[in-house]
Amino acid sequence: MKHGWRYWMNQAIVALLSALSAMAGSAFAAPPPIEHFTKRPAIDGVVVSPSGNRLAVLVFGAEGRRRLAVMNLDPVGDIRVVGGFADADVATVRWVSDDRLVFEAYRDGPEIREGGAGTFAVNHDGTESRQLIAWVRAMNETNSSIRSRVLPYGWFLHSTIDDRSDDVFVYRNVKDAVGDLKQVELARLNTRTGLLRSLSYGMPQGTRSWLLDQKHEPRLLTAYRDGRQKVYWRAAEADPWAEVADFDPLTEAGLTPWMVDGRGQVMVTARMGGDVTGLYKFDPVARRVDPQPLVSVAGFDLSASPEVDPESGALLGLHFTADRPTSYWFDDRLAQIQRGLDAALPAGRSNRLYCGRCVSTRFFVVRSSSDRQPGEYFLFDRSKSSLEPIGAARPWIDEASQGRRTVHRVTTRDGLSMPVYVTHPPGAAVDKALPAVVLVHGGPWLRGSDLGWEAEAQFLASRGYRVLQPEFRGSWGYGFRHFKAGWKEWGRAMQDDLVDAVRWAEKERLLDPGKVCVVGASYGGYAALMGPISSPGVYRCAASFAGVTDIDLMYSITWSDLSEASRRYSMPVLIGDRDKDTDRLTMASPLKRVAEIKIPLLVVHGGADRRVPIAHAREFTAAARRAGVTVERFDYLEEGHGFFSPANETDFYGRLERFLAESLSAPR
């Protein structure tokens, strides 16, 4: 390879000398500006064309909108914008063929629902643009000539096909009388003519997801009815759908269809009596899962994306995240390339290969990232064994200025093994007790973190805080036992886990126990507000963005986007039954127990939030002020359940920085 280990060793020495020089010249260097953590990335993702000769790149224009650009790789050419809008961001991008792309675009704001708003197709050179799926209302386009024949809103992109056609698969969400998802229909759409062919005939009631084989025919689907999940198989196009699994997804071990390879072998993700999810072979005729996994990862549920050879349909490898992003290759040739690139690039990096038709391609694009590096892109030429830089996601981020991240397994008071990710301020001694922030992820039934670079954690670390991110019980991705341990534990054991992380960090001399604040958004905001109630004396302050303030409001506010099915089936199991668990839910309500809070609060909300409507913040703040609680309150009226505007996010980080500094410096 052109850039071997000596090159990177020299680069590392130069970086080290530069860092030492900077430290000698200024013992108290100013931290990076907030904008470094909220600014839109220069490269926000890449997709390699099937042949590997072209690269789609998501970039941002001068007006701050994400646009679609294409660059040739043979030979390497300039990046050219081929799709973009004055009032929307390009999002998902996929290659239809080596000449044509399809992409989705989203407007800012809460009115975009169900994960999509508009879908478009365009040639690699920017010609023959066509709108495939419409917005709720027409979009003002720029640099394109959009034709009027489009599918109505409610259709979305499902997947593309590397069969040298101009077709893609699309799906339609069908709603019931109250607006909840009833079923999902699948169709094949030509991106040049707009011709649509339905593939949904004979589908079972309540179908939610479709899986196609390597000949692009639907073979497996999942349906959801009355709180139960069902899996169906069809051996041939003319056959009826046959039920092969029926289970309660919350309380019974089931399976999730994952892939049908070129030989017709079905693969599913399942637990098979164990604690973590792995990848298994499945015989749909015998309705039998092979007891031995193809791939499993100790301590982590496997949630992977496949790398498939379009010619043979063989599974070449898969990409997943354990404690960090990882690739596993079944193909020896690709495994050898991975090992070579891992050796050539700096130690400690996660190096993801993007390769179109991976077996035959000449060019690979490599995304190289780490806990302190947001991501650099390189072009590897297989024929020359050369490695050349393409660009960086955030070139303004200096790796030396970023905090090191570590992961630890902490034993909770009841014996659960809980991952805790820690971001250390740059240059801080490992055993020096520092002011700390417990940063609580949302969901809560999501995976919160890994060892990759994270903007919010790095921002807080740059201000001198040691940042703890506990994967508290109920977090997904660490086995079923860890997930189930969080059921009906809002305000109880889930809060205890946060305290156990603080106590562990105190014993490890990572933090000053007198200077700890708790911060979070969505469920994390709820946990922040509940912290000083369930664990008085642990935290000096609490900050909530878009936080739930009362579980009963989640049931009673009818204009939120929580589905009726969620309120009926999952919420009673995961959080608590509104009728049977009244006392438990009252005890877990920051709103109803607000008078117990004795520390300052920062409460921020989006005025257009439909997931957790702003009524949560308004009712809580009013009750807090009546009780004499110190509350700093601010609303971003145009924001939803998250930040669309970098300027608003920058403003919020500034408010949070001032709030933490004032709260932790004030006398107790």
Side-chain angles (χ1 to χ4, degrees):
M1 295 181 182
K2 190 170 183 178
H3 287 166
W5 68 270
R6 287 187 177 87
Y7 170 85
W8 293 110
M9 180 66 75
N10 290 336
Q11 293 292 98
I13 292 171
V14 170
L16 176 61
L17 292 175
S18 176
L20 291 173
S21 175
M23 292 171 62
S26 176
F28 301 99
I34 296 175
E35 289 79 6
H36 277 200
F37 304 96
T38 59
K39 184 180 178 181
R40 305 267 199 157
I43 298 177
D44 204 26
V46 299
V47 186
V48 178
S49 71
S51 72
N53 292 331
R54 295 190 176 105
L55 182 69
V57 187
L58 288 173
V59 298
F60 284 90
E63 77 292 343
R65 293 294 182 183
R66 190 187 295 109
R67 294 175 174 269
L68 169 61
V70 172
M71 66 180 293
N72 290 325
L73 300 180
D74 187 20
V76 175
D78 295 331
I79 293 179
R80 177 186 177 188
V81 173
V82 299
F85 302 93
D87 60 349
D89 285 322
V90 173
T92 306
V93 175
R94 298 175 187 174
W95 288 91
V96 179
S97 66
D98 223 49
D99 296 316
R100 194 157 176 80
L101 304 98
V102 63
F103 64 92
E104 294 174 313
Y106 299 78
R107 270 203 183 100
D108 292 354
E111 295 305 317
I112 304 311
R113 305 177 187 176
E114 304 295 343
T119 304
F120 305 83
V122 65
N123 286 347
H124 72 92
D125 58 2
T127 62
E128 294 193 48
S129 296
R130 184 185 187 100
Q131 185 170 8
L132 304 176
I133 302 171
W135 287 67
V136 176
R137 60 175 183 266
M139 186 162 55
N140 297 324
E141 55 83 21
T142 61
N143 299 327
S144 63
S145 177
I146 305 299
R147 303 175 189 177
S148 60
R149 183 184 175 188
V150 296
L151 293 174
Y153 180 77
W155 285 92
F156 304 94
L157 178 66
H158 179 276
S159 56
T160 54
I161 317 162
D162 184 12
D163 66 352
R164 295 172 174 81
S165 75
D166 293 316
D167 292 358
V168 297
F169 289 106
V170 293
Y171 67 93
R172 183 168 77 99
N173 285 341
V174 180
K175 302 296 185 67
D176 61 19
V178 297
D180 284 351
L181 181 62
K182 180 180 179 181
Q183 62 188 29
V184 174
E185 298 175 352
L186 185 70
R188 183 164 175 156
L189 174 69
N190 186 282
T191 64
R192 294 189 189 275
T193 67
L195 179 65
L196 185 73
R197 178 169 68 90
S198 176
L199 300 173
S200 301
Y201 48 86
M203 73 177 192
Q205 179 186 0
T207 294
R208 295 296 180 87
S209 64
W210 298 77
L211 184 68
L212 288 77
D213 64 14
Q214 297 308 308
K215 295 179 181 178
H216 317 299
E217 292 294 338
R219 285 290 172 261
L220 285 156
L221 57 78
T222 58
Y224 186 82
R225 297 197 298 272
D226 299 326
R228 296 191 67 80
Q229 189 165 311
K230 300 174 183 290
V231 179
Y232 293 84
W233 160 259
R234 187 172 70 181
E237 185 177 358
D239 292 346
W241 289 101
E243 182 183 304
V244 295
D246 178 7
F247 54 92
D248 183 325
L250 291 178
T251 61
E252 301 173 48
L255 56 89
T256 301
W258 190 77
M259 179 186 169
V260 182
D261 69 14
R263 297 178 298 169
Q265 175 64 61
V266 177
M267 283 164 267
V268 300
T269 55
R271 286 191 286 118
M272 287 304 295
D275 187 49
V276 298
T277 300
L279 182 65
Y280 294 83
K281 292 181 180 179
F282 174 62
D283 183 340
V285 177
R287 303 185 183 184
R288 178 181 178 275
V289 180
D290 193 314
Q292 296 301 317
L294 290 169
V295 180
S296 64
V297 183
F300 296 90
D301 291 305
L302 184 69
S303 178
S305 59
E307 202 73 68
V308 180
D309 178 17
E311 301 297 332
S312 66
L315 177 63
L316 302 174
L318 60 161
H319 309 284
F320 60 92
T321 298
D323 59 357
R324 67 194 73 210
T326 305
S327 296
Y328 179 84
W329 296 101
F330 296 101
D331 186 274
D332 292 338
R333 295 161 296 182
L334 296 170
Q336 184 178 3
I337 291 173
Q338 181 79 59
R339 288 192 295 269
L341 290 167
D342 289 344
L345 291 163
R349 295 281 187 97
S350 294
N351 303 307
R352 165 69 187 270
L353 275 60
Y354 299 88
C355 47
R357 300 183 192 119
C358 300
V359 172
S360 60
T361 190
R362 172 183 168 185
F363 297 108
F364 291 77
V365 173
V366 185
R367 183 181 187 274
S368 183
S369 62
S370 72
D371 56 341
R372 298 194 298 168
Q373 171 51 252
E376 294 180 305
Y377 293 89
F378 298 88
L379 178 64
F380 171 62
D381 186 333
R382 179 191 252 169
S383 67
K384 299 178 180 178
S385 293
S386 63
L387 189 65
E388 298 291 344
I390 293 175
R394 290 176 167 85
W396 52 86
I397 292 289
D398 176 10
E399 259 183 88
S401 73
Q402 302 300 286
R404 184 174 54 88
R405 285 168 59 79
T406 55
V407 62
H408 311 265
R409 286 277 180 169
V410 174
T411 302
T412 65
R413 64 191 68 181
D414 61 351
L416 201 65
S417 176
M418 176 178 60
V420 177
Y421 294 88
V422 180
T423 307
H424 308 269
V430 175
D431 60 349
K432 180 181 180 181
L434 297 173
V437 171
V438 179
L439 186 59
V440 189
H441 72 73
W445 308 290
L446 298 171
R447 174 155 179 184
S449 195
D450 59 53
L451 286 178
W453 184 88
E454 290 188 12
E456 188 172 15
Q458 289 289 0
F459 161 70
L460 292 167
S462 75
R463 270 52 188 171
Y465 302 106
R466 187 162 269 127
V467 183
L468 275 60
Q469 293 174 276
E471 297 290 281
F472 49 85
R473 68 191 64 210
S475 300
W476 186 250
Y478 301 98
F480 188 73
R481 180 186 174 215
H482 195 81
F483 170 56
K484 189 175 181 179
W487 293 7
K488 294 189 178 183
E489 292 296 335
W490 284 44
R492 296 157 58 92
M494 293 167 78
Q495 295 293 144
D496 293 342
D497 288 348
L498 308 182
V499 177
D500 290 347
V502 171
R503 297 305 181 214
W504 164 81
E506 179 184 353
K507 290 179 182 178
E508 297 292 320
R509 291 190 50 79
L510 295 175
L511 58 77
D512 179 345
K515 294 185 176 182
V516 181
C517 284
V518 57
V519 176
S522 192
Y523 170 82
Y526 162 86
L529 298 177
M530 196 66 204
I533 299 171
S534 63
S535 309
V538 174
Y539 308 109
R540 289 283 299 277
C541 61
S544 164
F545 171 72
V548 172
T549 64
D550 182 63
I551 296 171
D552 194 59
L553 287 176
M554 297 172 69
Y555 281 101
S556 62
I557 294 180
T558 57
W559 62 90
S560 80
D561 65 0
L562 284 173
S563 70
E564 191 60 36
S566 295
R567 293 187 178 95
R568 184 175 179 183
Y569 296 113
S570 61
M571 284 177 57
V573 174
L574 298 176
I575 304 176
D577 188 284
R578 192 181 185 189
D579 299 319
K580 298 177 182 178
D581 299 312
T582 302
D583 292 342
R584 180 187 290 261
L585 298 186
T586 297
M587 291 300 293
S589 170
L591 175 61
K592 293 181 175 67
R593 298 180 63 185
V594 65
E596 300 175 44
I597 297 176
K598 307 301 180 184
I599 61 174
L601 306 177
L602 173 63
V603 178
V604 178
H605 221 94
D609 191 341
R610 294 185 68 252
R611 178 59 51 85
V612 181
I614 198 171
H616 280 263
R618 287 174 176 164
E619 292 193 25
F620 176 83
T621 303
R625 287 173 174 162
R626 288 195 298 270
V629 179
T630 301
V631 182
E632 179 183 341
R633 170 71 190 286
F634 192 80
D635 295 333
Y636 296 95
L637 297 179
E638 69 277 22
E639 297 286 5
H641 197 63
F643 285 103
F644 290 99
S645 164
N648 285 343
E649 190 170 22
T650 298
D651 183 79
F652 169 67
Y653 277 14
R655 292 175 186 274
L656 179 60
E657 180 179 9
R658 292 188 294 273
F659 172 75
L660 293 172
E662 292 169 1
S663 300
L664 293 178
S665 63
R668 300 199 71 158

